[in-house]
Amino acid sequence: MKTAVLGFGTVGAGIYEMLSQAKGLEQGPVLVRPGKDDAAFKRTSIEAVLSEPGVEAVAEAMGGIEPAFTYAMAAIKAGKHFVTSNKALVAAHGIELSAAARERGVGFLFSAACGGGVPFLHNLSIAVESDDIVSLGGILNGTTNYMLDAMQRRSLSYGEALKDAQKLGYAEADPSADVSGLDALRKIVLGSAVAYGVLPTDGLYNEGIEHFTAEDVKRIQARGLICRLVAKCAAVPGDKVYAYVEPVLLKASAAECSVLDNYNLARYEGKCSGPMVFIGQGAGRWPTASAVLRDLDCLLKGRLYMLSSDCREGSADNEACRHSYYVRLPGSFTGCFEVKSYSESDGTAELITKPMSVKAMHELASRLRADGADIFFAALED
Ligand code: NAP
Ligand code: HSE
């Protein structure tokens, strides 16, 4: 199957190279920006790519929502299978792309968009055919896991750790989606769409690691805890899901704490299968390209979709999820918390809250930040 590639960066160049050796697949043209067509296989317009004789599938690795969405629709309407590593695109337009692909009778797969090389969505989409999914989640962003690990195990500063993650090709072109937790949130949204047929578009919360400092590392290490950025999702009554991302403080014995560097840990719990855990590289050229190639191979074998035909947009409800939080903030801002324990040193307070809802904690932090407070917060497993 001759496959065109859109984008020739970290992932796109990896896909193109892997296509040369993959059984049943063949290199097609590659879309690059005007002025960057320095090789015979490169094209500078989507029309030139789609009109190339023999192209049956298109693998998108440009990133962003536009023009990726326009190009994806053009490819599908031209009768090409469409696979992508772009979670921003699928979180924003997955339902429309899926409907268009089904109408045209071509495939639409995106397992590289969640977990890099980890075959998480792939397995989840198979599991839902025979089991009910109780919950899903895990460490879904390689950049922030790399950074948290480097800060806590190797004492790198936040800035040094981010620079390394960018150099290694893990971070997005604009890393703010990584560090804010938005990238992981988009991935859990895709997980929800696959597991529950609900792609939530509102009521979602993401707290990232932007407020985590070298001083916080020392404070939580003094408590014998390790920080990881974790996504969580499950169905809740009323045809909704809960879905959120936030830092979590864990004991060293937790499975998440053995997940180092750019690795991800994605898990789901099936009603019959019980817990399933997948660990592997969540970012980087070859792991991600390998996931795209896996999707192309699924197409060859007739497995065309990971979203059900009745998958729909919906809302998240994070009110019912409650747990205690660790909060570090200026001592003058602590009045609005119900606390289990509290300490203060040089004007900086550390407190453990009584259980409160995810919605309440995330909204309170954003109100206090708007009032000028520098806050780091993380969930505690009760
Ligand atoms: P990247 O290194 O920035 O590569 C993107 C490439 O696409 C760049 O060469 C860019 O060119 C090109 N491009 C963007 N818009 C284009 C357009 N309109 N026409 C032609 N070329 C265009 O990004 P990446 O890391 O490969 O990521 C690509 C996608 O994969 C993103 O959606 C990302 O979220 C996803 N992903 C990445 C990883 C990873 O580890 N890197 C893992 C999983 C998923 P310019 O440089 O000129 O802008
Ligand atoms: N920037 C993303 C990450 C790439 O670090 O996880 C993989 O989706």
Side-chain angles (χ1 to χ4, degrees), residues 87 140-143 170-172 178 183 187 282-283:
K87 50 265 159 164
L140 300 180
N141 182 268
T143 299
Y170 305 151
E172 299 299 303
D178 293 299
D183 179 80
K187 291 168 177 167

Side-chain angles (χ1 to χ4, degrees), residues 176-194:
S176 58
D178 293 299
V179 295
S180 68
L182 177 60
D183 179 80
L185 187 74
R186 286 172 172 152
K187 291 168 177 167
I188 201 70
V189 159
L190 303 192
S192 171
V194 171

Side-chain angles (χ1 to χ4, degrees), residues 59-211:
E60 185 268 319
M62 301 188 310
I65 294 173
E66 279 298 352
F69 177 58
T70 302
Y71 293 178
M73 281 302 213
I76 289 168
K77 285 183 179 153
K80 321 287 180 192
H81 298 300
F82 181 72
V83 303
T84 181
S85 57
N86 183 343
K87 50 265 159 164
L89 170 67
V90 184
H93 291 296
I95 308 282
E96 286 152 277
L97 290 170
S98 180
R102 282 177 183 276
E103 196 179 317
R104 190 66 177 76
V106 295
F108 169 48
L109 297 174
F110 50 88
S111 69
C114 176
V118 180
F120 177 55
L121 291 186
H122 176 78
N123 280 277
L124 192 60
S125 69
I126 294 168
V128 293
E129 290 171 6
S130 55
D131 202 358
D132 290 334
I133 304 302
V134 179
S135 64
L136 61 143
I139 297 172
L140 300 180
N141 182 268
T143 299
T144 45
N145 200 64
Y146 179 90
M147 292 173 66
L148 287 172
D149 184 38
M151 290 173 75
Q152 294 172 97
R153 220 161 34 99
R154 296 191 278 129
S155 304
L156 261 64
S157 71
Y158 180 95
E160 289 167 335
L162 175 56
K163 244 188 225 156
D164 276 6
Q166 287 176 301
K167 257 191 254 154
L168 290 163
Y170 305 151
E172 299 299 303
D174 172 1
S176 58
D178 293 299
V179 295
S180 68
L182 177 60
D183 179 80
L185 187 74
R186 286 172 172 152
K187 291 168 177 167
I188 201 70
V189 159
L190 303 192
S192 171
V194 171
Y196 303 118
V198 176
L199 189 149
T201 54
D202 58 26
L204 298 156
Y205 291 96
N206 58 295
E207 172 73 10
I209 64 164
E210 299 135 301
H211 305 281

